[in-house]
Amino acid sequence: MNKVHIIGLPFSTYTRSVQLFCELIGVNYTLAMSHADKAIEMHDKHHRKLHPMAKIPILIDGDTHLCETTAILHYLNDSYASGEFLKLDPIGRAHQLERMSLLSHYVNNALIRDYALELALPKGKGGEVRVQWMMENKSAALDAVKIVETWLAENQFLAGSTWSLVDMMALPSLYYVSLLPRELALLTPHSPLHQYLNNVRKHSGAKKVLQPANINASDSQSAKLASQG
């Protein structure tokens, strides 16, 4: 099978979404902040040629260059998985796309950008974690958790009885949230998300991708990614 290249940072939730899907469907891939043997600095001119808003991830598959996670997942699903990770009937497919949109525009932002990321890349004075800022945002993060828990009340996975692109979009953020310290936790001890994460991490590819992040707050690439929020 062809090897695709993912331009991204290994701790980025959306980069991990693409990695996770590649692992699940058996697509070989490389991952680096580089393209055509040239290093890419976040927000530089080369980056903006590949993504007009200078975001990650970006997928390179031969002559095909794609940005935006949803588009990348659709492409991989249609090109390498015969479309099996999105339902074919119009209503079922629309509901799955609805959940992917909710995740990308609201849920993941509430969980990561506006909450958990502060612990890894604090923006407080002198590099201090803005705990009060997190507390102000905690209610929205808890609401986001409840949305996903509601989906799990219906099925074993987030959009049915098996994997779908909805799970790919959600899992990296949910995994990070599960690692939060007790005093800042968003998941109750009885949240169904614990069992869900345990079940999906039984897959070797998911276990490989869903690991604690190694983030260097002094690294320029990490700082620029954090500034996107």
Side-chain angles (χ1 to χ4, degrees), residues 6-24 29 31 56-58 69 72-73 76 112 167-179 201 205-215 225:
I6 304 168
I7 299 173
L9 295 170
F11 63 83
S12 157
T13 53
Y14 289 123
T15 297
R16 287 187 169 199
S17 290
V18 177
Q19 280 185 273
L20 180 59
F21 194 42
C22 286
E23 291 285 347
L24 192 66
Y29 65 92
L31 168 64
I56 53 174
I58 299 162
T69 308
I72 293 170
L73 293 177
L76 292 171
I112 302 300
D167 299 282
M168 304 305 118
M169 290 288 288
L171 274 165
S173 293
L174 296 176
Y175 175 72
Y176 279 146
V177 165
S178 75
L179 302 179
R201 290 186 80 244
K207 189 173 183 179
K208 175 182 175 180
V209 174
L210 301 178
Q211 294 288 337
N214 181 18
I215 303 177
L225 179 64

Side-chain angles (χ1 to χ4, degrees), residues 40-213:
I40 295 176
E41 182 73 22
M42 288 286 292
H43 304 165
D44 69 9
K45 291 181 180 180
H46 189 42
H47 190 183
R48 291 186 184 278
K49 286 182 180 179
L50 295 167
H51 192 307
M53 305 306 292
K55 305 265 185 168
I56 53 174
I58 299 162
L59 184 78
I60 311 295
D61 186 11
D63 294 330
T64 300
H65 298 181
L66 282 174
C67 64
E68 290 299 293
T69 308
T70 300
I72 293 170
L73 293 177
H74 272 277
Y75 171 77
L76 292 171
N77 184 45
D78 290 339
S79 299
Y80 294 102
S82 302
E84 67 178 274
F85 290 86
L86 271 181
K87 292 183 178 179
L88 296 178
D89 67 283
I91 294 177
R93 189 180 186 90
H95 280 309
Q96 289 183 326
L97 293 174
E98 174 186 69
R99 292 184 180 185
M100 291 178 71
S101 182
L102 286 168
L103 286 162
S104 63
H105 293 295
Y106 308 106
V107 172
N108 287 342
N109 286 341
L111 296 179
I112 302 300
R113 185 193 67 186
D114 299 336
Y115 194 78
L117 187 61
E118 179 66 19
L119 289 177
L121 296 170
K123 297 182 183 178
K125 185 177 180 180
E128 293 184 358
V129 174
R130 298 174 297 169
V131 176
Q132 181 58 38
W133 178 84
M134 293 182 69
M135 291 299 99
E136 291 169 0
N137 291 338
K138 189 173 184 179
S139 177
L142 289 170
D143 287 343
V145 167
K146 290 178 183 177
I147 290 171
V148 183
E149 288 178 337
T150 299
W151 298 344
L152 272 183
E154 303 168 358
N155 292 289
Q156 183 179 356
F157 290 85
L158 297 184
S161 59
T162 188
W163 300 91
S164 74
L165 297 189
V166 180
D167 299 282
M168 304 305 118
M169 290 288 288
L171 274 165
S173 293
L174 296 176
Y175 175 72
Y176 279 146
V177 165
S178 75
L179 302 179
L180 288 170
R182 186 175 181 180
E183 63 273 16
L184 295 170
L186 297 176
L187 306 186
T188 67
H190 302 294
S191 171
L193 289 171
H194 293 298
Q195 186 60 49
Y196 168 66
L197 288 166
N198 287 338
N199 286 340
V200 298
R201 290 186 80 244
K202 291 177 182 177
H203 186 285
S204 60
K207 189 173 183 179
K208 175 182 175 180
V209 174
L210 301 178
Q211 294 288 337

